[in-house]
Amino acid sequence: MAMNGGYLDEYEKLVIRMNTPRVVIDNGVCSSATIVKVDSSRRNGILLESVQILSDLNLPIKKAYISSDGRWNMDVFHVTDINGNKLNDQSVLSYIEQSIQTVYYGESIEATGLTALELTGSDRVGLLSEIFAVLSDLNCNVVDAKVWTHNGRVASIIYAKDYSSGSPVQDSNKISRIEARLRHVLKGDNGVARTCVSKDLIHTERRLHQLMYEDRDYEMRTEEKSHVVVVTVQNWAEWSYSVVNVQCQDRTKLLFDVVCTLTDMEYVVFHATINTASDQAYLEFYIRHKDGSPISSEPERQRVIECLQAAVERRSSKGVRLELRQPDRQGLLAEVTRIFRENGLNVTRTEISTSNDMATNIFYVTDAGGNEAKPELIKSVRAKIGFESLRVKEMPCVDHKKGDGEGGDQERKAVLVSLGSLVWRNLFNFGMIKSCS
């Protein structure tokens, strides 16, 4: 029996080694980017996990080559820091390697000491002020939150705790009151609102995409059809692939937003090529359904186009970027957002964080009509809140250095070449990843 146990232990070790991604980080091959190579056995979601780790570090992905042949994945990412430099911080490199190699099984959100609230509903001017006022009135301290708006809808995940005890909100009666009052605020005069308390530890931004997708925000286009985000979908019948091309302005987390949406729509990415040139990004994916079939109808094709356009647009930063930094206190968010509302500022996106009792909150604001807020209006609001506390911050831009983007026009044509050329290049000429060009 001991012998059999020994064999079993060795077998389990072999299985673990086979299913643990192998990560190689190379700073010597490319002069302008750090190369992150991930080899792993193929399983659903492995690509999204790798991209998610890089995105959580706000690392721009300047190029990527994805290939899944048979039962094995080979993913290669060209990444830089936000300033366009190679990654030289050993702690960051180690974190990337260890995180991708770690199998995560999940845990209860209560282990973090916070309660997660998920909200969706109709967007309107002043809505965020009303949400935070309700939470403050119910003695809830908002520690972390993200709010997205798109096509007249809003989705938010708010992490809160009881202000008095500093513990998660666990009383079922209080949770019911919170949900009821927030649902009333979100519903407004019309429309459908949804609130719930999540007990699972979730990836906030992926869950926001899921909430928006479930809310069908992609069907509620209030403006003219997007010309900023161009998505095309064609079938390559010979190899039973659907080929998806996305062209838009480059930004951090772009690849995450697209792969996240494809994954949640239950498509599998078998091959992909991502390129950036100047400030533009070109992404090409070869996908199938989980059952191995390509996109099979025109309505499905149109839905993929609309959903990917929405996925890119949701994170678009419309408006002036304001950063509030103050010692955290009860009612702070309710007070600040009330001042925004009373002065006609509309919040289009929000990121709330608290560390060591210091609140760092980012708001993207427009005027009440959705247009750029005038400087004098911003100045007036800052005067009421405090010039030192509320500052206007420029958006951090992805720095496209010439080394990785030389010959932009040629790269652009290379990415948009006829169907099949890129996938063959991935399959049979994967050695090109050793070059920066």
Side-chain angles (χ1 to χ4, degrees):
M1 294 297 291
M3 182 73 72
N4 290 340
Y7 279 130
L8 182 60
D9 289 343
E10 291 303 316
Y11 176 74
E12 289 176 346
K13 290 178 183 178
L14 176 62
V15 171
I16 291 172
R17 283 199 300 270
M18 290 177 61
N19 288 282
T20 300
R22 178 175 176 269
V23 182
V24 176
I25 299 178
D26 194 330
N27 252 331
V29 171
C30 182
S31 62
S32 56
T34 298
I35 310 299
V36 179
K37 305 177 186 179
V38 183
D39 297 338
S40 64
S41 58
R42 184 160 66 87
R43 63 176 173 83
N44 188 44
I46 184 66
L47 171 61
L48 177 58
E49 290 172 11
S50 298
V51 173
Q52 178 176 299
I53 289 165
L54 298 174
S55 296
D56 285 347
L57 292 170
N58 287 316
L59 301 178
I61 299 174
K62 305 186 77 172
K63 291 185 181 183
Y65 307 96
I66 312 301
S67 184
S68 176
D69 195 8
R71 295 182 179 273
W72 202 253
N73 283 343
M74 182 182 291
D75 305 333
V76 180
F77 306 97
H78 292 224
V79 300
T80 67
D81 64 18
I82 198 67
N83 297 314
N85 301 312
K86 294 166 68 171
L87 308 181
N88 292 309
D89 188 330
Q90 189 56 48
S91 64
V92 173
L93 300 177
S94 297
Y95 176 84
I96 293 171
E97 183 175 355
Q98 293 170 10
S99 298
I100 294 177
Q101 290 176 341
T102 300
V103 178
Y104 175 69
Y105 294 102
E107 59 179 310
S108 168
I109 185 64
E110 294 174 1
T112 67
L114 300 172
T115 300
L117 306 172
E118 298 181 355
L119 315 175
T120 55
S122 299
D123 187 30
R124 66 178 184 277
V125 177
L127 175 62
L128 199 59
S129 169
E130 296 178 45
I131 290 173
F132 288 141
V134 166
L135 293 174
S136 178
D137 185 56
L138 292 172
N139 205 38
C140 293
N141 182 33
V142 177
V143 177
D144 193 277
K146 280 188 169 66
V147 182
W148 288 358
T149 62
H150 182 244
N151 284 347
R153 306 298 293 175
V154 61
S156 176
I157 298 179
I158 297 173
Y159 297 92
K161 60 184 178 182
D162 183 84
Y163 192 85
S164 300
S165 66
S167 302
V169 181
Q170 296 177 317
D171 180 77
S172 58
N173 291 327
K174 184 169 183 177
I175 289 175
S176 296
R177 290 198 303 273
I178 292 171
E179 289 183 323
R181 289 187 61 179
L182 289 177
R183 193 176 298 116
H184 177 74
V185 167
L186 284 160
K187 191 171 182 179
D189 295 330
N190 53 38
V192 178
R194 174 181 178 274
T195 67
C196 79
V197 176
S198 174
K199 293 181 181 284
D200 297 321
L201 192 61
I202 52 180
H203 186 273
T204 304
E205 293 179 341
R206 183 175 185 191
R207 186 61 184 144
L208 282 171
H209 276 301
Q210 291 172 340
L211 290 173
M212 283 288 199
Y213 176 69
E214 292 166 3
D215 200 36
R216 305 177 80 88
D217 69 315
Y218 55 88
E219 293 181 344
M220 305 172 187
R221 189 168 295 281
T222 56
E223 302 173 358
E224 292 185 6
K225 198 165 184 178
S226 175
H227 298 289
V228 178
V229 183
V230 179
V231 181
T232 62
V233 179
Q234 303 177 61
N235 276 357
W236 190 15
E238 183 180 358
W239 290 92
S240 297
Y241 286 123
S242 292
V243 185
V244 178
N245 277 281
V246 180
Q247 179 178 338
C248 60
Q249 186 173 14
D250 188 30
R251 58 167 172 78
T252 57
K253 303 192 178 185
L254 174 63
L255 181 58
F256 168 79
D257 292 338
V258 175
V259 173
C260 177
T261 300
L262 289 172
T263 301
D264 288 335
M265 294 179 74
E266 300 193 338
Y267 294 107
V268 178
V269 176
F270 285 84
H271 306 282
T273 301
I274 288 80
N275 247 306
T276 59
S278 185
D279 65 342
Q280 292 293 298
Y282 306 87
L283 302 84
E284 186 164 62
F285 301 90
Y286 291 76
I287 66 171
R288 294 179 184 143
H289 284 286
K290 280 185 176 180
D291 63 8
S293 62
I295 292 170
S296 58
S297 68
E298 180 59 23
E300 182 185 3
R301 189 181 76 86
Q302 287 298 325
R303 188 168 72 98
V304 170
I305 291 173
E306 290 173 355
C307 287
L308 291 181
Q309 285 178 332
V312 175
E313 292 169 350
R314 286 170 194 147
R315 204 192 291 271
S316 63
S317 304
K318 185 176 181 182
V320 178
R321 186 175 190 257
L322 299 177
E323 182 175 304
L324 175 73
R325 184 169 174 81
Q326 273 191 8
D328 191 30
R329 56 179 170 81
Q330 186 174 13
L332 173 63
L333 287 169
E335 177 185 324
V336 169
T337 52
R338 175 183 57 79
I339 293 172
F340 287 169
R341 173 173 54 83
E342 291 175 349
N343 286 270
L345 285 182
N346 180 42
V347 181
T348 63
R349 188 157 72 91
T350 306
E351 297 178 12
I352 307 298
S353 63
T354 308
S355 179
N356 297 323
D357 295 323
M358 180 63 72
T360 302
N361 306 326
I362 297 172
F363 304 94
Y364 295 87
V365 299
T366 65
D367 66 15
N371 304 308
E372 184 173 348
K374 294 182 178 179
E376 53 266 31
L377 176 57
I378 298 294
K379 185 177 181 180
S380 172
V381 169
R382 290 184 63 207
K384 291 180 173 67
I385 296 173
F387 286 104
E388 290 300 314
S389 298
L390 186 66
R391 296 173 180 265
V392 178
K393 293 287 186 177
E394 294 295 328
M395 274 292 294
C397 297
V398 178
D399 188 359
H400 294 272
K401 291 194 171 182
K402 191 172 182 181
D404 207 48
E406 280 181 333
D409 292 338
Q410 292 180 353
E411 277 194 321
R412 217 168 285 197
K413 294 174 183 177
V415 176
L416 300 177
V417 75
S418 61
L419 290 179
S421 63
L422 290 177
V423 73
W424 285 117
R425 185 168 61 185
N426 278 350
L427 286 170
F428 298 114
N429 196 25
F430 210 83
M432 72 172 291
I433 60 177
K434 296 179 180 179
S435 169
C436 263
S437 59

